[in-house]
Amino acid sequence: MDRKILVKNFWRVGNNGDRNLYEGDLGWNDASKKDARSDYSEYIFRYFVEDVGLNILFYWLDDRNFYTIKTENTPVEFVRIKPNPNWDGECELTKADSDLGPTTASQGEILQTFEDPSKIWSELTINGVPLETVLEHSVIIEMD
């Protein structure tokens, strides 16, 4: 069975040399679903952001930008990560922030803040697209 490649050379170091981003890499992975004890996106998000308090870094395929939700900040910040001006085009992950790629601690443009983390799920949109749809079409790179 062929897997659909969405972005060639996305990863800096791939799985067995495969650096491509595939359709199956989007959305919540199986480990996240297992940890949250749900396969429902809202429950998974609320578990990690509201209950556990993790930061989330994701790459939204529709607009090709990296974003992070910084839960350790008060208020919680939703940030678009600035592009790396020295990016050489070798892989998408190094397009933002540094030669190692973006992290949840990366500097960027604060797009929105939330005093109450429970409001993020219902109030956060990107270009009018609700967070649930954004995450379904994103690769969730890091939670810490």
Side-chain angles (χ1 to χ4, degrees), residues 11-31:
W11 304 105
R12 183 179 175 155
V13 177
N15 184 15
N16 296 321
D18 185 355
R19 297 179 180 197
N20 299 323
L21 177 67
Y22 293 91
E23 196 170 38
D25 296 329
L26 301 181
W28 299 105
N29 63 29
D30 290 339

Side-chain angles (χ1 to χ4, degrees), residues 57-68 79-83 92 95-96 126-127 138-139 141:
L57 170 70
F58 60 93
Y59 176 81
W60 189 29
L61 198 63
D62 289 17
D63 74 356
R64 305 256 177 180
N65 279 301
F66 290 92
Y67 296 93
T68 187
V79 175
R80 179 174 39 228
I81 300 193
K82 295 178 180 175
E92 194 72 11
K95 170 175 140 176
I126 304 174
N127 301 328
S138 296
V139 57
I141 297 169

Side-chain angles (χ1 to χ4, degrees), residues 83-99:
N84 180 357
N86 300 317
W87 181 55
D88 61 8
E90 265 189 46
C91 72
E92 194 72 11
L93 191 63
T94 58
K95 170 175 140 176
D97 192 56
S98 74
D99 291 339

Side-chain angles (χ1 to χ4, degrees), residues 1-17:
M1 181 177 186
D2 290 334
R3 298 187 304 160
K4 183 178 177 186
I5 296 173
L6 299 176
V7 180
K8 289 187 176 196
N9 294 316
F10 181 84
W11 304 105
R12 183 179 175 155
V13 177
N15 184 15
N16 296 321

Side-chain angles (χ1 to χ4, degrees), residues 28 36 40-51 56 58 69 117 120-121 124 131 135:
W28 299 105
Y40 186 52
S41 188
E42 180 179 359
Y43 292 164
I44 299 166
F45 179 84
R46 289 187 185 279
Y47 171 74
F48 285 114
V49 172
E50 295 173 29
D51 297 344
I56 296 178
F58 60 93
I69 297 171
I120 298 170
W121 182 260
L124 179 60
L131 185 57
L135 292 174

